[in-house]
Amino acid sequence: MYLINAHAVPGKESEYFNEVKGAFVSVYINYADVEGALQLAKFYIEDEGWKVESIDDDYYVIDGEEELDEDLREFYQEAKEYGYSIIFNCYEEGDEEE
């Protein structure tokens, strides 16, 4: 499993359009290779109505949920069951600089 981080802004079809400026997005992808996982992460973000501004060059390989803090294990379990889990950490104007 991979944890891929990205930066995205809401598109007009997103429920967050005109509500937030952007989001730092974490995507847990249960996929065999990293190139496919990166493409899937972009697809899932865009499928939610967001425009991907960038995807971090660094990604994490997760071999088991025991590697994660307790509060992150639910995302791992969701990705194991459904293939992915996505978390949008939204910010408003000026928040991204803090």
Side-chain angles (χ1 to χ4, degrees), residues 62-90:
I62 304 168
D63 293 320
E65 71 178 272
E66 64 279 350
E67 295 178 21
L68 299 170
D69 291 338
E70 191 74 33
D71 59 334
L72 300 176
R73 291 182 181 182
E74 69 180 285
F75 304 118
Y76 176 90
Q77 293 164 354
E78 184 176 318
K80 286 296 269 188
E81 184 173 347
Y82 299 107
Y84 75 102
S85 182
I86 189 167
I87 303 98
F88 289 89
N89 298 295
C90 298

PDB file of all heavy atoms in Angstrom, residues 62-90:
ATOM      1  N   ILE A  62       3.563   1.381   2.821  1.00  0.00           N
ATOM      2  CA  ILE A  62       3.040   0.886   4.089  1.00  0.00           C
ATOM      3  C   ILE A  62       2.859  -0.620   3.962  1.00  0.00           C
ATOM      4  O   ILE A  62       2.059  -1.095   3.164  1.00  0.00           O
ATOM      5  CB  ILE A  62       1.703   1.561   4.440  1.00  0.00           C
ATOM      6  CG1 ILE A  62       1.878   3.081   4.459  1.00  0.00           C
ATOM      7  CG2 ILE A  62       1.190   1.051   5.781  1.00  0.00           C
ATOM      8  CD1 ILE A  62       0.574   3.841   4.519  1.00  0.00           C
ATOM      9  N   ASP A  63       3.623  -1.346   4.754  1.00  0.00           N
ATOM     10  CA  ASP A  63       3.574  -2.806   4.684  1.00  0.00           C
ATOM     11  C   ASP A  63       2.518  -3.421   5.588  1.00  0.00           C
ATOM     12  O   ASP A  63       2.138  -4.567   5.400  1.00  0.00           O
ATOM     13  CB  ASP A  63       4.948  -3.396   5.021  1.00  0.00           C
ATOM     14  CG  ASP A  63       5.990  -3.057   3.957  1.00  0.00           C
ATOM     15  OD1 ASP A  63       5.640  -3.098   2.754  1.00  0.00           O
ATOM     16  OD2 ASP A  63       7.129  -2.737   4.327  1.00  0.00           O
ATOM     17  N   GLY A  64       2.052  -2.663   6.561  1.00  0.00           N
ATOM     18  CA  GLY A  64       1.020  -3.171   7.456  1.00  0.00           C
ATOM     19  C   GLY A  64       0.511  -2.059   8.355  1.00  0.00           C
ATOM     20  O   GLY A  64       1.202  -1.066   8.594  1.00  0.00           O
ATOM     21  N   GLU A  65      -0.697  -2.221   8.866  1.00  0.00           N
ATOM     22  CA  GLU A  65      -1.304  -1.160   9.658  1.00  0.00           C
ATOM     23  C   GLU A  65      -0.572  -0.902  10.964  1.00  0.00           C
ATOM     24  O   GLU A  65      -0.680   0.180  11.538  1.00  0.00           O
ATOM     25  CB  GLU A  65      -2.784  -1.411   9.898  1.00  0.00           C
ATOM     26  CG  GLU A  65      -3.112  -2.522  10.837  1.00  0.00           C
ATOM     27  CD  GLU A  65      -4.615  -2.642  11.032  1.00  0.00           C
ATOM     28  OE1 GLU A  65      -5.155  -1.965  11.921  1.00  0.00           O
ATOM     29  OE2 GLU A  65      -5.231  -3.412  10.297  1.00  0.00           O
ATOM     30  N   GLU A  66       0.209  -1.880  11.431  1.00  0.00           N
ATOM     31  CA  GLU A  66       0.961  -1.684  12.669  1.00  0.00           C
ATOM     32  C   GLU A  66       2.015  -0.590  12.526  1.00  0.00           C
ATOM     33  O   GLU A  66       2.509  -0.059  13.518  1.00  0.00           O
ATOM     34  CB  GLU A  66       1.598  -2.999  13.140  1.00  0.00           C
ATOM     35  CG  GLU A  66       2.645  -3.577  12.212  1.00  0.00           C
ATOM     36  CD  GLU A  66       2.064  -4.348  11.029  1.00  0.00           C
ATOM     37  OE1 GLU A  66       0.848  -4.616  10.989  1.00  0.00           O
ATOM     38  OE2 GLU A  66       2.855  -4.682  10.139  1.00  0.00           O
ATOM     39  N   GLU A  67       2.360  -0.216  11.305  1.00  0.00           N
ATOM     40  CA  GLU A  67       3.316   0.870  11.063  1.00  0.00           C
ATOM     41  C   GLU A  67       2.705   2.240  11.316  1.00  0.00           C
ATOM     42  O   GLU A  67       3.424   3.226  11.443  1.00  0.00           O
ATOM     43  CB  GLU A  67       3.806   0.830   9.609  1.00  0.00           C
ATOM     44  CG  GLU A  67       4.597  -0.386   9.247  1.00  0.00           C
ATOM     45  CD  GLU A  67       5.008  -0.375   7.778  1.00  0.00           C
ATOM     46  OE1 GLU A  67       5.029   0.711   7.161  1.00  0.00           O
ATOM     47  OE2 GLU A  67       5.305  -1.448   7.261  1.00  0.00           O
ATOM     48  N   LEU A  68       1.388   2.304  11.373  1.00  0.00           N
ATOM     49  CA  LEU A  68       0.681   3.579  11.474  1.00  0.00           C
ATOM     50  C   LEU A  68       0.259   3.881  12.897  1.00  0.00           C
ATOM     51  O   LEU A  68       0.019   2.966  13.697  1.00  0.00           O
ATOM     52  CB  LEU A  68      -0.561   3.560  10.579  1.00  0.00           C
ATOM     53  CG  LEU A  68      -0.315   3.354   9.096  1.00  0.00           C
ATOM     54  CD1 LEU A  68      -1.638   3.107   8.379  1.00  0.00           C
ATOM     55  CD2 LEU A  68       0.411   4.540   8.501  1.00  0.00           C
ATOM     56  N   ASP A  69       0.126   5.180  13.192  1.00  0.00           N
ATOM     57  CA  ASP A  69      -0.451   5.583  14.465  1.00  0.00           C
ATOM     58  C   ASP A  69      -1.883   5.078  14.535  1.00  0.00           C
ATOM     59  O   ASP A  69      -2.550   4.921  13.507  1.00  0.00           O
ATOM     60  CB  ASP A  69      -0.439   7.102  14.606  1.00  0.00           C
ATOM     61  CG  ASP A  69       0.969   7.663  14.769  1.00  0.00           C
ATOM     62  OD1 ASP A  69       1.876   6.914  15.180  1.00  0.00           O
ATOM     63  OD2 ASP A  69       1.145   8.867  14.485  1.00  0.00           O
ATOM     64  N   GLU A  70      -2.363   4.883  15.718  1.00  0.00           N
ATOM     65  CA  GLU A  70      -3.708   4.334  15.942  1.00  0.00           C
ATOM     66  C   GLU A  70      -4.786   5.128  15.188  1.00  0.00           C
ATOM     67  O   GLU A  70      -5.690   4.550  14.596  1.00  0.00           O
ATOM     68  CB  GLU A  70      -4.012   4.324  17.447  1.00  0.00           C
ATOM     69  CG  GLU A  70      -5.239   3.552  17.832  1.00  0.00           C
ATOM     70  CD  GLU A  70      -5.051   2.042  17.749  1.00  0.00           C
ATOM     71  OE1 GLU A  70      -3.945   1.548  18.004  1.00  0.00           O
ATOM     72  OE2 GLU A  70      -6.041   1.372  17.419  1.00  0.00           O
ATOM     73  N   ASP A  71      -4.667   6.461  15.195  1.00  0.00           N
ATOM     74  CA  ASP A  71      -5.709   7.283  14.578  1.00  0.00           C
ATOM     75  C   ASP A  71      -5.673   7.258  13.047  1.00  0.00           C
ATOM     76  O   ASP A  71      -6.601   7.748  12.404  1.00  0.00           O
ATOM     77  CB  ASP A  71      -5.633   8.724  15.088  1.00  0.00           C
ATOM     78  CG  ASP A  71      -4.295   9.391  14.819  1.00  0.00           C
ATOM     79  OD1 ASP A  71      -3.282   8.686  14.693  1.00  0.00           O
ATOM     80  OD2 ASP A  71      -4.271  10.632  14.741  1.00  0.00           O
ATOM     81  N   LEU A  72      -4.648   6.674  12.446  1.00  0.00           N
ATOM     82  CA  LEU A  72      -4.560   6.568  10.985  1.00  0.00           C
ATOM     83  C   LEU A  72      -4.931   5.184  10.460  1.00  0.00           C
ATOM     84  O   LEU A  72      -5.101   4.997   9.264  1.00  0.00           O
ATOM     85  CB  LEU A  72      -3.150   6.925  10.517  1.00  0.00           C
ATOM     86  CG  LEU A  72      -2.674   8.337  10.851  1.00  0.00           C
ATOM     87  CD1 LEU A  72      -1.231   8.520  10.407  1.00  0.00           C
ATOM     88  CD2 LEU A  72      -3.576   9.379  10.209  1.00  0.00           C
ATOM     89  N   ARG A  73      -5.093   4.249  11.331  1.00  0.00           N
ATOM     90  CA  ARG A  73      -5.353   2.866  10.909  1.00  0.00           C
ATOM     91  C   ARG A  73      -6.681   2.693  10.198  1.00  0.00           C
ATOM     92  O   ARG A  73      -6.828   1.838   9.335  1.00  0.00           O
ATOM     93  CB  ARG A  73      -5.246   1.926  12.106  1.00  0.00           C
ATOM     94  CG  ARG A  73      -3.818   1.809  12.594  1.00  0.00           C
ATOM     95  CD  ARG A  73      -3.661   0.857  13.732  1.00  0.00           C
ATOM     96  NE  ARG A  73      -2.253   0.850  14.143  1.00  0.00           N
ATOM     97  CZ  ARG A  73      -1.766   0.110  15.088  1.00  0.00           C
ATOM     98  NH1 ARG A  73      -2.570  -0.730  15.749  1.00  0.00           N
ATOM     99  NH2 ARG A  73      -0.495   0.160  15.393  1.00  0.00           N
ATOM    100  N   GLU A  74      -7.665   3.526  10.529  1.00  0.00           N
ATOM    101  CA  GLU A  74      -8.960   3.420   9.855  1.00  0.00           C
ATOM    102  C   GLU A  74      -8.821   3.690   8.360  1.00  0.00           C
ATOM    103  O   GLU A  74      -9.512   3.088   7.540  1.00  0.00           O
ATOM    104  CB  GLU A  74      -9.991   4.358  10.469  1.00  0.00           C
ATOM    105  CG  GLU A  74      -9.714   5.826  10.227  1.00  0.00           C
ATOM    106  CD  GLU A  74     -10.754   6.741  10.854  1.00  0.00           C
ATOM    107  OE1 GLU A  74     -11.871   6.832  10.310  1.00  0.00           O
ATOM    108  OE2 GLU A  74     -10.423   7.347  11.886  1.00  0.00           O
ATOM    109  N   PHE A  75      -7.904   4.599   7.978  1.00  0.00           N
ATOM    110  CA  PHE A  75      -7.704   4.900   6.560  1.00  0.00           C
ATOM    111  C   PHE A  75      -7.040   3.721   5.854  1.00  0.00           C
ATOM    112  O   PHE A  75      -7.378   3.391   4.716  1.00  0.00           O
ATOM    113  CB  PHE A  75      -6.870   6.169   6.392  1.00  0.00           C
ATOM    114  CG  PHE A  75      -7.465   7.346   7.100  1.00  0.00           C
ATOM    115  CD1 PHE A  75      -6.783   7.975   8.123  1.00  0.00           C
ATOM    116  CD2 PHE A  75      -8.730   7.824   6.761  1.00  0.00           C
ATOM    117  CE1 PHE A  75      -7.328   9.056   8.784  1.00  0.00           C
ATOM    118  CE2 PHE A  75      -9.290   8.900   7.419  1.00  0.00           C
ATOM    119  CZ  PHE A  75      -8.582   9.523   8.446  1.00  0.00           C
ATOM    120  N   TYR A  76      -6.115   3.078   6.538  1.00  0.00           N
ATOM    121  CA  TYR A  76      -5.467   1.886   6.003  1.00  0.00           C
ATOM    122  C   TYR A  76      -6.517   0.787   5.788  1.00  0.00           C
ATOM    123  O   TYR A  76      -6.562   0.162   4.727  1.00  0.00           O
ATOM    124  CB  TYR A  76      -4.368   1.417   6.969  1.00  0.00           C
ATOM    125  CG  TYR A  76      -3.700   0.139   6.543  1.00  0.00           C
ATOM    126  CD1 TYR A  76      -2.573   0.159   5.731  1.00  0.00           C
ATOM    127  CD2 TYR A  76      -4.185  -1.101   6.958  1.00  0.00           C
ATOM    128  CE1 TYR A  76      -1.950  -1.006   5.337  1.00  0.00           C
ATOM    129  CE2 TYR A  76      -3.571  -2.277   6.566  1.00  0.00           C
ATOM    130  CZ  TYR A  76      -2.451  -2.229   5.754  1.00  0.00           C
ATOM    131  OH  TYR A  76      -1.842  -3.391   5.360  1.00  0.00           O
ATOM    132  N   GLN A  77      -7.355   0.569   6.779  1.00  0.00           N
ATOM    133  CA  GLN A  77      -8.376  -0.474   6.688  1.00  0.00           C
ATOM    134  C   GLN A  77      -9.378  -0.180   5.571  1.00  0.00           C
ATOM    135  O   GLN A  77      -9.785  -1.080   4.841  1.00  0.00           O
ATOM    136  CB  GLN A  77      -9.081  -0.634   8.034  1.00  0.00           C
ATOM    137  CG  GLN A  77      -8.170  -1.188   9.109  1.00  0.00           C
ATOM    138  CD  GLN A  77      -8.715  -1.007  10.507  1.00  0.00           C
ATOM    139  OE1 GLN A  77      -9.743  -0.369  10.724  1.00  0.00           O
ATOM    140  NE2 GLN A  77      -7.997  -1.563  11.491  1.00  0.00           N
ATOM    141  N   GLU A  78      -9.738   1.085   5.425  1.00  0.00           N
ATOM    142  CA  GLU A  78     -10.651   1.472   4.353  1.00  0.00           C
ATOM    143  C   GLU A  78     -10.017   1.204   2.984  1.00  0.00           C
ATOM    144  O   GLU A  78     -10.671   0.704   2.067  1.00  0.00           O
ATOM    145  CB  GLU A  78     -11.014   2.948   4.480  1.00  0.00           C
ATOM    146  CG  GLU A  78     -12.026   3.417   3.463  1.00  0.00           C
ATOM    147  CD  GLU A  78     -12.434   4.863   3.681  1.00  0.00           C
ATOM    148  OE1 GLU A  78     -12.641   5.266   4.838  1.00  0.00           O
ATOM    149  OE2 GLU A  78     -12.551   5.577   2.674  1.00  0.00           O
ATOM    150  N   ALA A  79      -8.736   1.527   2.850  1.00  0.00           N
ATOM    151  CA  ALA A  79      -8.037   1.287   1.586  1.00  0.00           C
ATOM    152  C   ALA A  79      -7.905  -0.209   1.304  1.00  0.00           C
ATOM    153  O   ALA A  79      -7.984  -0.631   0.149  1.00  0.00           O
ATOM    154  CB  ALA A  79      -6.662   1.954   1.599  1.00  0.00           C
ATOM    155  N   LYS A  80      -7.719  -1.004   2.331  1.00  0.00           N
ATOM    156  CA  LYS A  80      -7.658  -2.459   2.140  1.00  0.00           C
ATOM    157  C   LYS A  80      -9.003  -2.985   1.640  1.00  0.00           C
ATOM    158  O   LYS A  80      -9.053  -3.866   0.787  1.00  0.00           O
ATOM    159  CB  LYS A  80      -7.276  -3.176   3.442  1.00  0.00           C
ATOM    160  CG  LYS A  80      -5.826  -3.049   3.838  1.00  0.00           C
ATOM    161  CD  LYS A  80      -4.891  -3.687   2.866  1.00  0.00           C
ATOM    162  CE  LYS A  80      -4.604  -5.112   3.215  1.00  0.00           C
ATOM    163  NZ  LYS A  80      -3.549  -5.697   2.389  1.00  0.00           N
ATOM    164  N   GLU A  81     -10.087  -2.433   2.146  1.00  0.00           N
ATOM    165  CA  GLU A  81     -11.418  -2.905   1.783  1.00  0.00           C
ATOM    166  C   GLU A  81     -11.889  -2.369   0.429  1.00  0.00           C
ATOM    167  O   GLU A  81     -12.441  -3.111  -0.382  1.00  0.00           O
ATOM    168  CB  GLU A  81     -12.423  -2.511   2.866  1.00  0.00           C
ATOM    169  CG  GLU A  81     -13.810  -3.061   2.603  1.00  0.00           C
ATOM    170  CD  GLU A  81     -14.778  -2.818   3.750  1.00  0.00           C
ATOM    171  OE1 GLU A  81     -14.335  -2.447   4.858  1.00  0.00           O
ATOM    172  OE2 GLU A  81     -15.987  -3.010   3.528  1.00  0.00           O
ATOM    173  N   TYR A  82     -11.661  -1.077   0.177  1.00  0.00           N
ATOM    174  CA  TYR A  82     -12.223  -0.432  -1.018  1.00  0.00           C
ATOM    175  C   TYR A  82     -11.189  -0.072  -2.088  1.00  0.00           C
ATOM    176  O   TYR A  82     -11.561   0.398  -3.158  1.00  0.00           O
ATOM    177  CB  TYR A  82     -12.978   0.842  -0.630  1.00  0.00           C
ATOM    178  CG  TYR A  82     -14.124   0.574   0.303  1.00  0.00           C
ATOM    179  CD1 TYR A  82     -14.049   0.929   1.643  1.00  0.00           C
ATOM    180  CD2 TYR A  82     -15.285  -0.056  -0.145  1.00  0.00           C
ATOM    181  CE1 TYR A  82     -15.091   0.681   2.512  1.00  0.00           C
ATOM    182  CE2 TYR A  82     -16.338  -0.312   0.718  1.00  0.00           C
ATOM    183  CZ  TYR A  82     -16.229   0.057   2.045  1.00  0.00           C
ATOM    184  OH  TYR A  82     -17.273  -0.191   2.901  1.00  0.00           O
ATOM    185  N   GLY A  83      -9.908  -0.258  -1.787  1.00  0.00           N
ATOM    186  CA  GLY A  83      -8.855   0.057  -2.748  1.00  0.00           C
ATOM    187  C   GLY A  83      -8.190   1.394  -2.519  1.00  0.00           C
ATOM    188  O   GLY A  83      -7.067   1.616  -2.942  1.00  0.00           O
ATOM    189  N   TYR A  84      -8.901   2.307  -1.840  1.00  0.00           N
ATOM    190  CA  TYR A  84      -8.300   3.601  -1.532  1.00  0.00           C
ATOM    191  C   TYR A  84      -9.052   4.276  -0.394  1.00  0.00           C
ATOM    192  O   TYR A  84     -10.195   3.926  -0.075  1.00  0.00           O
ATOM    193  CB  TYR A  84      -8.305   4.518  -2.757  1.00  0.00           C
ATOM    194  CG  TYR A  84      -9.650   5.108  -3.100  1.00  0.00           C
ATOM    195  CD1 TYR A  84      -9.954   6.415  -2.761  1.00  0.00           C
ATOM    196  CD2 TYR A  84     -10.624   4.366  -3.756  1.00  0.00           C
ATOM    197  CE1 TYR A  84     -11.196   6.965  -3.073  1.00  0.00           C
ATOM    198  CE2 TYR A  84     -11.854   4.901  -4.071  1.00  0.00           C
ATOM    199  CZ  TYR A  84     -12.142   6.206  -3.720  1.00  0.00           C
ATOM    200  OH  TYR A  84     -13.359   6.738  -4.019  1.00  0.00           O
ATOM    201  N   SER A  85      -8.394   5.252   0.199  1.00  0.00           N
ATOM    202  CA  SER A  85      -8.996   6.125   1.197  1.00  0.00           C
ATOM    203  C   SER A  85      -8.403   7.507   0.961  1.00  0.00           C
ATOM    204  O   SER A  85      -7.201   7.630   0.713  1.00  0.00           O
ATOM    205  CB  SER A  85      -8.676   5.637   2.614  1.00  0.00           C
ATOM    206  OG  SER A  85      -9.291   6.465   3.579  1.00  0.00           O
ATOM    207  N   ILE A  86      -9.239   8.534   0.993  1.00  0.00           N
ATOM    208  CA  ILE A  86      -8.772   9.878   0.652  1.00  0.00           C
ATOM    209  C   ILE A  86      -9.171  10.860   1.749  1.00  0.00           C
ATOM    210  O   ILE A  86     -10.290  10.821   2.251  1.00  0.00           O
ATOM    211  CB  ILE A  86      -9.326  10.278  -0.729  1.00  0.00           C
ATOM    212  CG1 ILE A  86      -8.711  11.563  -1.227  1.00  0.00           C
ATOM    213  CG2 ILE A  86     -10.825  10.343  -0.728  1.00  0.00           C
ATOM    214  CD1 ILE A  86      -8.988  11.830  -2.701  1.00  0.00           C
ATOM    215  N   ILE A  87      -8.216  11.710   2.134  1.00  0.00           N
ATOM    216  CA  ILE A  87      -8.435  12.690   3.187  1.00  0.00           C
ATOM    217  C   ILE A  87      -8.073  14.066   2.638  1.00  0.00           C
ATOM    218  O   ILE A  87      -6.942  14.288   2.201  1.00  0.00           O
ATOM    219  CB  ILE A  87      -7.575  12.397   4.435  1.00  0.00           C
ATOM    220  CG1 ILE A  87      -7.848  10.993   4.955  1.00  0.00           C
ATOM    221  CG2 ILE A  87      -7.828  13.426   5.528  1.00  0.00           C
ATOM    222  CD1 ILE A  87      -6.859   9.974   4.519  1.00  0.00           C
ATOM    223  N   PHE A  88      -9.044  14.984   2.646  1.00  0.00           N
ATOM    224  CA  PHE A  88      -8.816  16.358   2.217  1.00  0.00           C
ATOM    225  C   PHE A  88      -8.633  17.224   3.466  1.00  0.00           C
ATOM    226  O   PHE A  88      -9.554  17.356   4.268  1.00  0.00           O
ATOM    227  CB  PHE A  88     -10.010  16.884   1.414  1.00  0.00           C
ATOM    228  CG  PHE A  88     -10.135  16.274   0.050  1.00  0.00           C
ATOM    229  CD1 PHE A  88     -10.848  15.107  -0.145  1.00  0.00           C
ATOM    230  CD2 PHE A  88      -9.536  16.878  -1.045  1.00  0.00           C
ATOM    231  CE1 PHE A  88     -10.974  14.549  -1.403  1.00  0.00           C
ATOM    232  CE2 PHE A  88      -9.656  16.329  -2.314  1.00  0.00           C
ATOM    233  CZ  PHE A  88     -10.372  15.153  -2.495  1.00  0.00           C
ATOM    234  N   ASN A  89      -7.449  17.804   3.623  1.00  0.00           N
ATOM    235  CA  ASN A  89      -7.174  18.737   4.710  1.00  0.00           C
ATOM    236  C   ASN A  89      -7.288  20.141   4.122  1.00  0.00           C
ATOM    237  O   ASN A  89      -6.310  20.688   3.607  1.00  0.00           O
ATOM    238  CB  ASN A  89      -5.792  18.476   5.302  1.00  0.00           C
ATOM    239  CG  ASN A  89      -5.704  17.096   5.909  1.00  0.00           C
ATOM    240  OD1 ASN A  89      -6.377  16.814   6.879  1.00  0.00           O
ATOM    241  ND2 ASN A  89      -4.914  16.227   5.313  1.00  0.00           N
ATOM    242  N   CYS A  90      -8.492  20.695   4.188  1.00  0.00           N
ATOM    243  CA  CYS A  90      -8.802  21.959   3.513  1.00  0.00           C
ATOM    244  C   CYS A  90      -8.248  23.154   4.283  1.00  0.00           C
ATOM    245  O   CYS A  90      -8.133  23.130   5.496  1.00  0.00           O
ATOM    246  CB  CYS A  90     -10.307  22.107   3.373  1.00  0.00           C
ATOM    247  SG  CYS A  90     -11.061  20.810   2.355  1.00  0.00           S
TER     248      CYS A  90
END
